[in-house]
Short mmCIF file of all heavy atoms in Angstrom, two decimals:
data_model
loop_
_atom_site.label_atom_id
_atom_site.label_comp_id
_atom_site.label_asym_id
_atom_site.label_seq_id
_atom_site.Cartn_x
_atom_site.Cartn_y
_atom_site.Cartn_z
N GLY B 132 -1.43 347.68 -127.76
CA GLY B 132 -2.82 347.62 -127.31
C GLY B 132 -3.70 348.61 -128.05
O GLY B 132 -4.82 348.28 -128.46
N ILE B 133 -3.19 349.83 -128.24
CA ILE B 133 -3.98 350.86 -128.94
C ILE B 133 -4.21 350.46 -130.40
O ILE B 133 -5.30 350.62 -130.94
CB ILE B 133 -3.30 352.25 -128.80
CG1 ILE B 133 -3.48 352.76 -127.37
CG2 ILE B 133 -3.86 353.25 -129.80
CD1 ILE B 133 -2.63 353.95 -127.01
N ILE B 134 -3.16 349.88 -131.02
CA ILE B 134 -3.31 349.43 -132.41
C ILE B 134 -4.40 348.35 -132.49
O ILE B 134 -5.25 348.38 -133.38
CB ILE B 134 -1.96 348.90 -132.96
CG1 ILE B 134 -0.97 350.07 -133.08
CG2 ILE B 134 -2.14 348.21 -134.31
CD1 ILE B 134 0.46 349.67 -133.34
N ILE B 135 -4.39 347.45 -131.51
CA ILE B 135 -5.40 346.39 -131.50
C ILE B 135 -6.80 346.99 -131.28
O ILE B 135 -7.77 346.56 -131.90
CB ILE B 135 -5.09 345.34 -130.41
CG1 ILE B 135 -3.74 344.68 -130.71
CG2 ILE B 135 -6.16 344.27 -130.33
CD1 ILE B 135 -3.07 344.05 -129.50
N LEU B 136 -6.88 348.00 -130.43
CA LEU B 136 -8.17 348.67 -130.19
C LEU B 136 -8.69 349.31 -131.47
O LEU B 136 -9.88 349.19 -131.80
CB LEU B 136 -8.02 349.70 -129.07
CG LEU B 136 -9.28 350.48 -128.71
CD1 LEU B 136 -10.36 349.54 -128.16
CD2 LEU B 136 -8.99 351.55 -127.66
N ILE B 137 -7.79 349.99 -132.20
CA ILE B 137 -8.20 350.61 -133.47
C ILE B 137 -8.70 349.52 -134.42
O ILE B 137 -9.72 349.67 -135.08
CB ILE B 137 -7.03 351.40 -134.09
CG1 ILE B 137 -6.69 352.61 -133.21
CG2 ILE B 137 -7.36 351.86 -135.52
CD1 ILE B 137 -5.38 353.29 -133.54
N PHE B 138 -7.98 348.40 -134.43
CA PHE B 138 -8.39 347.30 -135.29
C PHE B 138 -9.76 346.77 -134.88
O PHE B 138 -10.61 346.48 -135.73
CB PHE B 138 -7.36 346.15 -135.23
CG PHE B 138 -7.83 344.94 -135.97
CD1 PHE B 138 -7.80 344.91 -137.34
CD2 PHE B 138 -8.35 343.84 -135.29
CE1 PHE B 138 -8.26 343.81 -138.04
CE2 PHE B 138 -8.82 342.74 -135.97
CZ PHE B 138 -8.77 342.71 -137.35
N LEU B 139 -9.98 346.69 -133.56
CA LEU B 139 -11.28 346.19 -133.06
C LEU B 139 -12.41 347.09 -133.56
O LEU B 139 -13.47 346.60 -133.96
CB LEU B 139 -11.28 346.20 -131.54
CG LEU B 139 -10.86 344.91 -130.83
CD1 LEU B 139 -10.88 345.13 -129.34
CD2 LEU B 139 -11.79 343.76 -131.20
N ILE B 140 -12.16 348.39 -133.52
CA ILE B 140 -13.18 349.34 -133.98
C ILE B 140 -13.45 349.10 -135.47
O ILE B 140 -14.61 349.04 -135.91
CB ILE B 140 -12.74 350.80 -133.69
CG1 ILE B 140 -12.67 351.02 -132.17
CG2 ILE B 140 -13.68 351.81 -134.34
CD1 ILE B 140 -11.93 352.27 -131.73
N LEU B 141 -12.35 348.91 -136.22
CA LEU B 141 -12.47 348.63 -137.66
C LEU B 141 -13.26 347.35 -137.87
O LEU B 141 -14.15 347.27 -138.73
CB LEU B 141 -11.06 348.48 -138.22
CG LEU B 141 -10.89 348.49 -139.72
CD1 LEU B 141 -10.99 349.91 -140.23
CD2 LEU B 141 -9.53 347.91 -140.12
N HIS B 142 -12.95 346.36 -137.08
CA HIS B 142 -13.59 345.04 -137.16
C HIS B 142 -15.08 345.17 -136.88
O HIS B 142 -15.92 344.63 -137.62
CB HIS B 142 -12.93 344.15 -136.11
CG HIS B 142 -13.17 342.69 -136.31
ND1 HIS B 142 -12.98 342.06 -137.50
CD2 HIS B 142 -13.60 341.73 -135.44
CE1 HIS B 142 -13.27 340.77 -137.37
NE2 HIS B 142 -13.66 340.55 -136.12
N PHE B 143 -15.41 345.93 -135.84
CA PHE B 143 -16.81 346.15 -135.49
C PHE B 143 -17.53 346.89 -136.60
O PHE B 143 -18.67 346.59 -136.93
CB PHE B 143 -16.92 346.95 -134.19
CG PHE B 143 -17.03 346.09 -132.97
CD1 PHE B 143 -15.98 345.97 -132.08
CD2 PHE B 143 -18.19 345.37 -132.74
CE1 PHE B 143 -16.08 345.15 -130.97
CE2 PHE B 143 -18.30 344.54 -131.62
CZ PHE B 143 -17.24 344.44 -130.74
N THR B 144 -16.84 347.87 -137.19
CA THR B 144 -17.45 348.65 -138.27
C THR B 144 -17.81 347.74 -139.43
O THR B 144 -18.86 347.88 -140.04
CB THR B 144 -16.47 349.74 -138.75
OG1 THR B 144 -15.74 350.20 -137.65
CG2 THR B 144 -17.17 350.88 -139.42
N HIS B 145 -16.89 346.80 -139.72
CA HIS B 145 -17.13 345.98 -140.89
C HIS B 145 -18.08 344.83 -140.69
O HIS B 145 -18.71 344.37 -141.62
CB HIS B 145 -15.79 345.47 -141.44
CG HIS B 145 -15.12 346.51 -142.26
ND1 HIS B 145 -13.94 347.09 -141.89
CD2 HIS B 145 -15.50 347.11 -143.41
CE1 HIS B 145 -13.62 348.00 -142.78
NE2 HIS B 145 -14.54 348.03 -143.71
N PHE B 146 -18.19 344.34 -139.49
CA PHE B 146 -19.11 343.22 -139.27
C PHE B 146 -20.34 343.63 -138.48
O PHE B 146 -21.45 343.55 -138.97
CB PHE B 146 -18.37 342.06 -138.60
CG PHE B 146 -17.57 341.27 -139.58
CD1 PHE B 146 -16.24 341.54 -139.79
CD2 PHE B 146 -18.19 340.27 -140.33
CE1 PHE B 146 -15.52 340.84 -140.72
CE2 PHE B 146 -17.47 339.56 -141.26
CZ PHE B 146 -16.13 339.84 -141.46
N PHE B 147 -20.10 344.11 -137.30
CA PHE B 147 -21.21 344.38 -136.39
C PHE B 147 -22.09 345.52 -136.90
O PHE B 147 -23.31 345.40 -136.98
CB PHE B 147 -20.63 344.69 -135.01
CG PHE B 147 -21.65 344.75 -133.92
CD1 PHE B 147 -22.41 343.64 -133.60
CD2 PHE B 147 -21.86 345.93 -133.23
CE1 PHE B 147 -23.35 343.69 -132.59
CE2 PHE B 147 -22.80 345.99 -132.22
CZ PHE B 147 -23.56 344.87 -131.89
N PHE B 148 -21.44 346.62 -137.31
CA PHE B 148 -22.20 347.79 -137.72
C PHE B 148 -22.87 347.59 -139.07
O PHE B 148 -23.96 348.11 -139.32
CB PHE B 148 -21.33 349.05 -137.73
CG PHE B 148 -20.95 349.51 -136.35
CD1 PHE B 148 -19.93 350.42 -136.15
CD2 PHE B 148 -21.63 349.04 -135.24
CE1 PHE B 148 -19.59 350.85 -134.88
CE2 PHE B 148 -21.30 349.45 -133.96
CZ PHE B 148 -20.27 350.36 -133.78
N VAL B 149 -22.22 346.81 -139.95
CA VAL B 149 -22.86 346.52 -141.24
C VAL B 149 -24.11 345.68 -140.99
O VAL B 149 -25.17 345.91 -141.56
CB VAL B 149 -21.87 345.77 -142.18
CG1 VAL B 149 -22.59 345.24 -143.42
CG2 VAL B 149 -20.74 346.70 -142.60
N LYS B 150 -23.99 344.74 -140.06
CA LYS B 150 -25.12 343.88 -139.70
C LYS B 150 -26.28 344.71 -139.15
O LYS B 150 -27.44 344.45 -139.41
CB LYS B 150 -24.66 342.87 -138.64
CG LYS B 150 -25.27 341.50 -138.81
CD LYS B 150 -24.59 340.51 -137.90
CE LYS B 150 -25.37 340.36 -136.61
NZ LYS B 150 -24.71 339.44 -135.68
N LEU B 151 -25.92 345.74 -138.40
CA LEU B 151 -26.95 346.61 -137.82
C LEU B 151 -27.54 347.58 -138.84
O LEU B 151 -28.56 348.20 -138.58
CB LEU B 151 -26.34 347.44 -136.67
CG LEU B 151 -25.94 346.71 -135.40
CD1 LEU B 151 -25.38 347.70 -134.40
CD2 LEU B 151 -27.12 345.97 -134.80
N GLY B 152 -26.86 347.71 -139.96
CA GLY B 152 -27.32 348.66 -140.96
C GLY B 152 -26.81 350.07 -140.70
O GLY B 152 -27.28 351.03 -141.29
N TRP B 153 -25.86 350.21 -139.77
CA TRP B 153 -25.33 351.55 -139.48
C TRP B 153 -24.27 351.95 -140.49
O TRP B 153 -24.04 353.12 -140.72
CB TRP B 153 -24.71 351.57 -138.07
CG TRP B 153 -25.76 351.68 -137.03
CD1 TRP B 153 -26.68 350.72 -136.71
CD2 TRP B 153 -26.05 352.80 -136.22
NE1 TRP B 153 -27.52 351.18 -135.75
CE2 TRP B 153 -27.16 352.46 -135.41
CE3 TRP B 153 -25.49 354.07 -136.09
CZ2 TRP B 153 -27.71 353.35 -134.49
CZ3 TRP B 153 -26.03 354.95 -135.15
CH2 TRP B 153 -27.13 354.58 -134.39
N VAL B 154 -23.62 350.96 -141.04
CA VAL B 154 -22.64 351.25 -142.08
C VAL B 154 -23.08 350.46 -143.31
O VAL B 154 -23.45 349.30 -143.20
CB VAL B 154 -21.22 350.80 -141.63
CG1 VAL B 154 -20.22 350.93 -142.76
CG2 VAL B 154 -20.77 351.61 -140.43
N THR B 155 -23.04 351.12 -144.45
CA THR B 155 -23.52 350.44 -145.66
C THR B 155 -22.48 349.43 -146.11
O THR B 155 -21.31 349.76 -146.29
CB THR B 155 -23.74 351.47 -146.79
OG1 THR B 155 -24.20 352.68 -146.18
CG2 THR B 155 -24.73 350.96 -147.81
N GLY B 156 -22.94 348.22 -146.27
CA GLY B 156 -22.05 347.16 -146.75
C GLY B 156 -21.92 347.25 -148.26
O GLY B 156 -22.59 348.07 -148.90
N PRO B 157 -21.07 346.45 -148.86
CA PRO B 157 -20.94 346.44 -150.32
C PRO B 157 -22.28 346.08 -150.96
O PRO B 157 -23.07 345.34 -150.37
CB PRO B 157 -19.89 345.36 -150.57
CG PRO B 157 -19.20 345.18 -149.28
CD PRO B 157 -20.17 345.49 -148.21
N GLU B 158 -22.49 346.60 -152.10
CA GLU B 158 -23.80 346.44 -152.74
C GLU B 158 -24.13 344.98 -153.00
O GLU B 158 -23.26 344.19 -153.37
CB GLU B 158 -23.79 347.20 -154.08
CG GLU B 158 -24.82 348.32 -154.09
CD GLU B 158 -24.75 349.11 -155.36
OE1 GLU B 158 -25.28 348.62 -156.36
OE2 GLU B 158 -24.13 350.20 -155.33
N GLY B 159 -25.37 344.64 -152.78
CA GLY B 159 -25.87 343.31 -153.11
C GLY B 159 -25.30 342.21 -152.24
O GLY B 159 -25.25 341.05 -152.65
N ILE B 160 -24.88 342.55 -151.05
CA ILE B 160 -24.30 341.50 -150.20
C ILE B 160 -25.23 341.22 -149.02
O ILE B 160 -25.82 342.13 -148.45
CB ILE B 160 -22.88 341.86 -149.73
CG1 ILE B 160 -22.23 340.62 -149.12
CG2 ILE B 160 -22.86 343.00 -148.75
CD1 ILE B 160 -20.73 340.65 -149.16
N ASP B 161 -25.37 339.93 -148.73
CA ASP B 161 -26.14 339.55 -147.55
C ASP B 161 -25.22 339.73 -146.36
O ASP B 161 -24.21 339.04 -146.23
CB ASP B 161 -26.59 338.08 -147.69
CG ASP B 161 -27.29 337.61 -146.43
OD1 ASP B 161 -27.55 338.46 -145.54
OD2 ASP B 161 -27.56 336.40 -146.33
N THR B 162 -25.57 340.68 -145.50
CA THR B 162 -24.65 341.02 -144.41
C THR B 162 -24.54 339.90 -143.37
O THR B 162 -23.68 339.94 -142.52
CB THR B 162 -25.08 342.33 -143.71
OG1 THR B 162 -26.46 342.22 -143.41
CG2 THR B 162 -24.79 343.52 -144.57
N HIS B 163 -25.44 338.93 -143.45
CA HIS B 163 -25.32 337.81 -142.53
C HIS B 163 -24.43 336.71 -143.08
O HIS B 163 -24.12 335.75 -142.40
CB HIS B 163 -26.71 337.25 -142.19
CG HIS B 163 -27.47 338.19 -141.31
ND1 HIS B 163 -28.18 339.25 -141.81
CD2 HIS B 163 -27.60 338.24 -139.96
CE1 HIS B 163 -28.72 339.92 -140.81
NE2 HIS B 163 -28.38 339.32 -139.68
N ASP B 164 -24.05 336.88 -144.36
CA ASP B 164 -23.18 335.88 -144.98
C ASP B 164 -21.73 336.27 -144.72
O ASP B 164 -21.12 337.02 -145.48
CB ASP B 164 -23.49 335.82 -146.49
CG ASP B 164 -22.63 334.78 -147.19
OD1 ASP B 164 -21.82 334.14 -146.50
OD2 ASP B 164 -22.79 334.64 -148.41
N PHE B 165 -21.19 335.78 -143.62
CA PHE B 165 -19.85 336.18 -143.19
C PHE B 165 -18.77 335.77 -144.19
O PHE B 165 -17.79 336.47 -144.36
CB PHE B 165 -19.54 335.60 -141.80
CG PHE B 165 -20.25 336.29 -140.70
CD1 PHE B 165 -21.44 335.79 -140.18
CD2 PHE B 165 -19.75 337.47 -140.18
CE1 PHE B 165 -22.11 336.45 -139.16
CE2 PHE B 165 -20.40 338.13 -139.15
CZ PHE B 165 -21.59 337.63 -138.65
N LEU B 166 -18.98 334.62 -144.85
CA LEU B 166 -17.97 334.14 -145.78
C LEU B 166 -17.82 335.10 -146.97
O LEU B 166 -16.71 335.51 -147.31
CB LEU B 166 -18.32 332.72 -146.27
CG LEU B 166 -17.26 332.08 -147.17
CD1 LEU B 166 -15.98 331.81 -146.39
CD2 LEU B 166 -17.78 330.77 -147.77
N SER B 167 -18.97 335.49 -147.57
CA SER B 167 -18.90 336.41 -148.71
C SER B 167 -18.32 337.75 -148.29
O SER B 167 -17.54 338.36 -149.02
CB SER B 167 -20.29 336.63 -149.31
OG SER B 167 -20.89 335.39 -149.52
N MET B 168 -18.73 338.20 -147.09
CA MET B 168 -18.21 339.48 -146.60
C MET B 168 -16.70 339.41 -146.39
O MET B 168 -15.97 340.33 -146.76
CB MET B 168 -18.89 339.88 -145.30
CG MET B 168 -20.08 340.79 -145.54
SD MET B 168 -20.96 341.16 -144.04
CE MET B 168 -19.89 342.35 -143.28
N SER B 169 -16.25 338.29 -145.82
CA SER B 169 -14.82 338.11 -145.60
C SER B 169 -14.07 338.11 -146.92
O SER B 169 -13.03 338.77 -147.06
CB SER B 169 -14.53 336.80 -144.87
OG SER B 169 -15.26 336.76 -143.70
N LYS B 170 -14.63 337.36 -147.89
CA LYS B 170 -13.97 337.28 -149.21
C LYS B 170 -13.83 338.66 -149.82
O LYS B 170 -12.78 339.03 -150.32
CB LYS B 170 -14.80 336.39 -150.15
CG LYS B 170 -14.53 334.91 -149.99
CD LYS B 170 -15.36 334.15 -151.01
CE LYS B 170 -15.34 332.66 -150.72
NZ LYS B 170 -16.30 331.93 -151.54
N LEU B 171 -14.94 339.43 -149.73
CA LEU B 171 -14.93 340.77 -150.32
C LEU B 171 -13.89 341.67 -149.66
O LEU B 171 -13.15 342.39 -150.33
CB LEU B 171 -16.31 341.39 -150.13
CG LEU B 171 -17.09 341.61 -151.43
CD1 LEU B 171 -18.52 341.92 -151.09
CD2 LEU B 171 -16.48 342.69 -152.29
N LEU B 172 -13.86 341.60 -148.34
CA LEU B 172 -12.92 342.46 -147.60
C LEU B 172 -11.48 342.03 -147.84
O LEU B 172 -10.60 342.86 -148.05
CB LEU B 172 -13.22 342.41 -146.10
CG LEU B 172 -14.48 343.15 -145.65
CD1 LEU B 172 -14.81 342.80 -144.20
CD2 LEU B 172 -14.29 344.66 -145.76
N PHE B 173 -11.24 340.71 -147.84
CA PHE B 173 -9.87 340.22 -147.94
C PHE B 173 -9.29 340.32 -149.36
O PHE B 173 -8.07 340.30 -149.52
CB PHE B 173 -9.76 338.78 -147.42
CG PHE B 173 -9.87 338.70 -145.92
CD1 PHE B 173 -10.52 337.62 -145.31
CD2 PHE B 173 -9.32 339.67 -145.11
CE1 PHE B 173 -10.63 337.54 -143.93
CE2 PHE B 173 -9.43 339.60 -143.73
CZ PHE B 173 -10.09 338.54 -143.14
N THR B 174 -10.16 340.40 -150.36
CA THR B 174 -9.62 340.56 -151.71
C THR B 174 -9.20 342.01 -151.96
O THR B 174 -8.60 342.34 -152.97
CB THR B 174 -10.63 340.10 -152.79
OG1 THR B 174 -11.91 340.55 -152.40
CG2 THR B 174 -10.64 338.59 -152.95
N ASN B 175 -9.50 342.87 -150.96
CA ASN B 175 -9.02 344.26 -151.03
C ASN B 175 -7.63 344.31 -150.39
O ASN B 175 -7.48 344.09 -149.19
CB ASN B 175 -10.01 345.15 -150.25
CG ASN B 175 -9.59 346.60 -150.25
OD1 ASN B 175 -8.42 346.93 -150.46
ND2 ASN B 175 -10.54 347.47 -150.00
N PRO B 176 -6.58 344.58 -151.20
CA PRO B 176 -5.21 344.54 -150.67
C PRO B 176 -4.97 345.50 -149.50
O PRO B 176 -4.22 345.18 -148.58
CB PRO B 176 -4.33 344.95 -151.86
CG PRO B 176 -5.20 344.84 -153.05
CD PRO B 176 -6.62 344.97 -152.61
N VAL B 177 -5.61 346.68 -149.54
CA VAL B 177 -5.40 347.67 -148.47
C VAL B 177 -5.93 347.11 -147.15
O VAL B 177 -5.25 347.12 -146.12
CB VAL B 177 -6.08 349.02 -148.80
CG1 VAL B 177 -5.89 350.02 -147.66
CG2 VAL B 177 -5.52 349.57 -150.10
N TYR B 178 -7.19 346.61 -147.21
CA TYR B 178 -7.80 346.06 -145.99
C TYR B 178 -6.96 344.89 -145.47
O TYR B 178 -6.66 344.82 -144.26
CB TYR B 178 -9.23 345.59 -146.26
CG TYR B 178 -9.93 345.08 -145.02
CD1 TYR B 178 -10.56 345.96 -144.14
CD2 TYR B 178 -9.92 343.73 -144.70
CE1 TYR B 178 -11.16 345.51 -142.98
CE2 TYR B 178 -10.52 343.26 -143.54
CZ TYR B 178 -11.15 344.15 -142.69
OH TYR B 178 -11.74 343.70 -141.54
N SER B 179 -6.55 344.01 -146.38
CA SER B 179 -5.77 342.83 -145.97
C SER B 179 -4.45 343.24 -145.34
O SER B 179 -4.02 342.64 -144.35
CB SER B 179 -5.50 341.93 -147.17
OG SER B 179 -6.68 341.28 -147.52
N SER B 180 -3.79 344.25 -145.93
CA SER B 180 -2.50 344.70 -145.37
C SER B 180 -2.69 345.22 -143.95
O SER B 180 -1.93 344.85 -143.04
CB SER B 180 -1.90 345.81 -146.23
OG SER B 180 -1.84 345.38 -147.55
N ILE B 181 -3.72 346.08 -143.77
CA ILE B 181 -3.97 346.62 -142.42
C ILE B 181 -4.25 345.47 -141.46
O ILE B 181 -3.73 345.42 -140.34
CB ILE B 181 -5.18 347.61 -142.45
CG1 ILE B 181 -4.82 348.83 -143.30
CG2 ILE B 181 -5.58 348.03 -141.04
CD1 ILE B 181 -5.98 349.77 -143.57
N TYR B 182 -5.06 344.53 -141.92
CA TYR B 182 -5.44 343.36 -141.12
C TYR B 182 -4.20 342.59 -140.66
O TYR B 182 -4.03 342.30 -139.48
CB TYR B 182 -6.35 342.48 -141.98
CG TYR B 182 -6.99 341.30 -141.29
CD1 TYR B 182 -8.25 341.41 -140.70
CD2 TYR B 182 -6.36 340.06 -141.26
CE1 TYR B 182 -8.85 340.33 -140.10
CE2 TYR B 182 -6.95 338.97 -140.65
CZ TYR B 182 -8.20 339.11 -140.08
OH TYR B 182 -8.80 338.03 -139.48
N ILE B 183 -3.30 342.32 -141.62
CA ILE B 183 -2.10 341.53 -141.29
C ILE B 183 -1.19 342.30 -140.33
O ILE B 183 -0.71 341.75 -139.34
CB ILE B 183 -1.36 341.12 -142.58
CG1 ILE B 183 -2.21 340.12 -143.37
CG2 ILE B 183 0.01 340.52 -142.27
CD1 ILE B 183 -1.75 339.86 -144.79
N VAL B 184 -0.98 343.59 -140.63
CA VAL B 184 -0.11 344.40 -139.75
C VAL B 184 -0.66 344.41 -138.32
O VAL B 184 0.08 344.22 -137.35
CB VAL B 184 0.03 345.85 -140.31
CG1 VAL B 184 0.67 346.77 -139.28
CG2 VAL B 184 0.85 345.84 -141.59
N CYS B 185 -1.99 344.59 -138.21
CA CYS B 185 -2.60 344.61 -136.87
C CYS B 185 -2.37 343.29 -136.16
O CYS B 185 -2.11 343.26 -134.95
CB CYS B 185 -4.09 344.90 -136.97
SG CYS B 185 -4.41 346.61 -137.39
#
Side-chain angles (χ1 to χ4, degrees):
Chain B
I133 287 167
I134 293 169
I135 299 158
L136 179 63
I137 293 168
F138 173 75
L139 267 178
I140 294 165
L141 193 77
H142 197 50
F143 267 109
T144 324
H145 279 115
F146 280 94
F147 190 62
F148 289 165
V149 170
K150 217 170 96 182
L151 291 180
W153 281 69
V154 172
T155 325
E158 242 176 79
I160 192 156
D161 175 8
T162 49
H163 288 83
D164 181 0
F165 285 97
L166 185 66
S167 311
M168 266 176 76
S169 305
K170 277 182 191 171
L171 247 167
L172 287 169
F173 287 144
T174 41
N175 179 339
V177 178
Y178 183 84
S179 287
S180 307
I181 295 172
Y182 187 92
I183 292 167
V184 168
C185 287

